[in-house]
Amino acid sequence: MKVILLRDAPRVGRAGQVADVAEGHARNFLIPRGYAKPASDENLREVAQARAAAERRQEKQIGSLEKLARQLNGLTLRFEEKPSPSGKLYAGVGAQRIAEELASRGLAVRKQEVVLPQPIKEPGEYRVVIALGRGIKAELRCQVSLKP
């Protein structure tokens, strides 16, 4: 019996695939537990439409991520921080602070997307990578200076 898998089924296949399984296995296990539904013409069309809609959503998401990456590339953020007696910063400039500064400029970036091995604790210019997902990355500069 041919079935369309609604979710991954061990030793049968992955969600969205059409699998040929024993009729008893389909009727007694896969269909009642929500792993599959019969592969009728109507169900196959429904799955194809859902797959096409998912691909369109994914393409739209990738397009918006690429647009955001173009906006971020070459951008320079400036931070003025209070120095400690040793010349370092009291509070380092971290991923949260960079994400907040980008949000204030209307660029939606989460702090988890800011790739920063450790907070910036010394004045200077730093390159910061923003990993937006789906393999799309942007690079911007952060200039940190001391308040007079």
Side-chain angles (χ1 to χ4, degrees):
M1 174 178 200
K2 289 195 182 281
V3 294
I4 301 169
L5 297 174
L6 301 175
R7 53 186 196 174
D8 293 353
R11 296 187 213 135
V12 178
R14 300 188 58 81
Q17 288 181 332
V18 176
D20 194 13
V21 297
E23 191 169 332
H25 185 55
R27 291 185 195 271
N28 297 324
F29 183 78
L30 296 175
I31 295 172
R33 294 193 180 167
Y35 279 97
K37 62 183 175 181
S40 66
D41 290 337
E42 182 181 331
N43 288 343
L44 288 170
R45 269 193 305 278
E46 190 179 297
V47 168
Q49 289 173 349
R51 187 176 293 139
E55 287 175 7
R56 284 192 301 274
R57 278 193 307 275
Q58 186 177 16
E59 287 173 8
K60 185 177 178 182
Q61 182 185 27
I62 289 172
S64 64
L65 289 176
E66 287 174 343
K67 179 182 175 188
L68 179 59
R70 284 191 300 275
Q71 291 173 331
L72 291 172
N73 279 326
L75 186 67
T76 301
L77 302 178
R78 290 177 178 80
F79 297 96
E80 279 192 11
E81 298 297 321
K82 187 175 177 183
S84 68
S86 66
K88 293 190 176 193
L89 306 178
Y90 271 122
V93 176
Q96 178 70 34
R97 186 85 186 282
I98 293 170
E100 288 171 356
E101 179 64 26
L102 290 171
S104 72
R105 296 179 182 214
L107 301 169
V109 174
R110 298 181 326 213
K111 72 176 186 175
Q112 295 86 356
E113 296 171 336
V114 178
V115 179
L116 201 58
Q118 57 193 13
I120 300 169
K121 292 278 195 172
E122 295 183 7
E125 187 170 309
Y126 300 89
R127 292 188 186 275
V128 177
V129 175
I130 309 293
L132 298 170
R134 305 247 185 232
I136 299 172
K137 294 182 181 181
E139 190 173 294
L140 54 90
R141 294 184 328 195
C142 286
Q143 292 179 343
V144 179
S145 60
L146 300 176
K147 282 185 179 176

